[in-house]
Amino acid sequence: MLIRSLTALLALSVPALATAAPACTASWSASWASSQRDADPAETGIAAKLRDATLRQTVRLSRGGKRVRIHLSNLVGTAPLTIDSAHVALAEASGSPRIRAGSDHAVTFGGQSQISIPAGADYVSDPIALEAPDRATLSISLHLPEAPSAVTSHPGSRTSSYIAAGNHSGDTTLVGDRVEHWYFASGVDVAGCGRTIVALGDSITDGHGATTDRDDRWTDVLAARLPAGSGLSLVNHGIGGNRVLRDGLGPNALARLDRDVLAQAGVRYLIVLEGVNDLGVLTRDHPVSAAEHAALVAELEQGYRQIVARAHAHGIKVIGATILPDGGSAYYHPGTAGEADRLAVNAWIRTSGVFDAVVDFDAVMRDPADPARLAAAFDSGDGLHPSAKGYARMGQAIPLALFR
């Protein structure tokens, strides 16, 4: 009964999307992606470790197809990035160093197996005739003959990758050192007319608190619910520590909007779950004045308006998500004023009419006895990030009618 009532609450905003979506004309749609930034500062020596080394990493598609293409990024590089061998295959499982027999394909870029990606640039491969079912796990293997000038990375992969000395990109099993990051791989598209959902967010979208190699972020749960044959896919563009207005771990949401949202193949829908870090950082180290609290709330509202306006200019429907409670967070330790800011921002998200629809994660995840805190059953233990059970709750709470 509770789940039914929550679904009804979340569906209240669905009529805002009753107008027909733009006709699908794209020949590709994004099926997996990750936001790029610099490597984890704790990974000292990672660039040297990648000299004459093979990197194998697995990614889980949301939608399958008969042809795929991969995107590689040298976003933070200060010199060209050379890759002289790239292979794609079906992986045995998420985080597995082993590929399925007979599924390996060499990857080319403009017919060439060796590429040099300019500093700050992305490259997209030639189409690869690899038939992948929905929710297939791909293995992407890259050999780097030289150390990169800087390592473009997604530290919050929640997925195992492997690094081995020498060129082993076509090996059935890669024997190497395990790391829990993605490097250089920024996306996988599938051929055919489709409609992509982009989830733009911070560590809660990135999946902090999810289970390594289990694909149980809230976005994974939602992707698994997308109907077969609907043409829908979902890509996760969460970065831990991300903020709407200021840089943190990675560029702010407004600065990365073009690359991480507008440039995604076939994008038609955007879910925005950002703001808890903006609110938390304001008072993390010391109290601030009432005027500063009010100014941040107003700036956040303006930031959301900018995201929506820019997405609408590209025919993208924007779904706003309310900010989860964080009253139990020992990192942000929000007080009464910080909680008032969160409530004010959430009220604005629900009622301003700026978003095309609203998903009320706050209502789904809060403790009924103490609404400033996550419900204990959904808390990973830090008072800020959901557990795997909490992410399942979030992924189930989004009405699929939003994407019809």
Side-chain angles (χ1 to χ4, degrees), residues 107-127:
V107 180
T108 58
F109 297 78
Q112 304 299 310
S113 58
Q114 177 167 317
I115 54 168
S116 183
I117 305 175
D122 287 5
Y123 263 32
V124 61
S125 76
D126 298 331

Side-chain angles (χ1 to χ4, degrees), residues 356-369:
D356 298 301
V358 173
V359 173
D360 201 341
F361 283 146
D362 174 37
V364 170
M365 298 295 288
R366 66 194 178 206
D367 183 346

Side-chain angles (χ1 to χ4, degrees), residues 134-156:
D134 291 348
R135 264 71 77 184
T137 299
L138 294 191
S139 176
I140 300 174
S141 301
L142 309 172
H143 178 253
L144 283 65
E146 303 293 338
S149 59
V151 179
T152 299
S153 175
H154 186 87

Side-chain angles (χ1 to χ4, degrees), residues 10-105:
L10 293 167
L12 287 175
S13 298
V14 173
L17 285 183
T19 56
C24 178
T25 57
S27 56
W28 294 90
S29 58
S31 185
W32 172 86
S34 71
S35 297
Q36 304 303 296
R37 45 156 287 203
D38 53 336
D40 189 326
E43 287 192 282
T44 56
I46 183 61
K49 190 174 183 178
L50 288 170
R51 179 187 292 115
D52 185 22
T54 300
L55 168 66
R56 177 164 290 176
Q57 47 208 333
T58 66
V59 303
R60 192 183 195 199
L61 303 184
S62 54
R63 174 173 165 254
K66 294 186 177 181
R67 292 189 301 156
V68 302
R69 65 182 186 183
I70 66 171
H71 294 253
L72 302 178
S73 175
N74 189 24
L75 178 67
V76 306
T78 58
L81 170 70
T82 300
I83 296 172
D84 63 4
S85 179
H87 283 245
V88 168
L90 295 175
E92 286 286 358
S94 289
S96 173
R98 184 175 178 83
I99 63 172
R100 294 186 187 179
S103 69
D104 181 64
H105 290 69

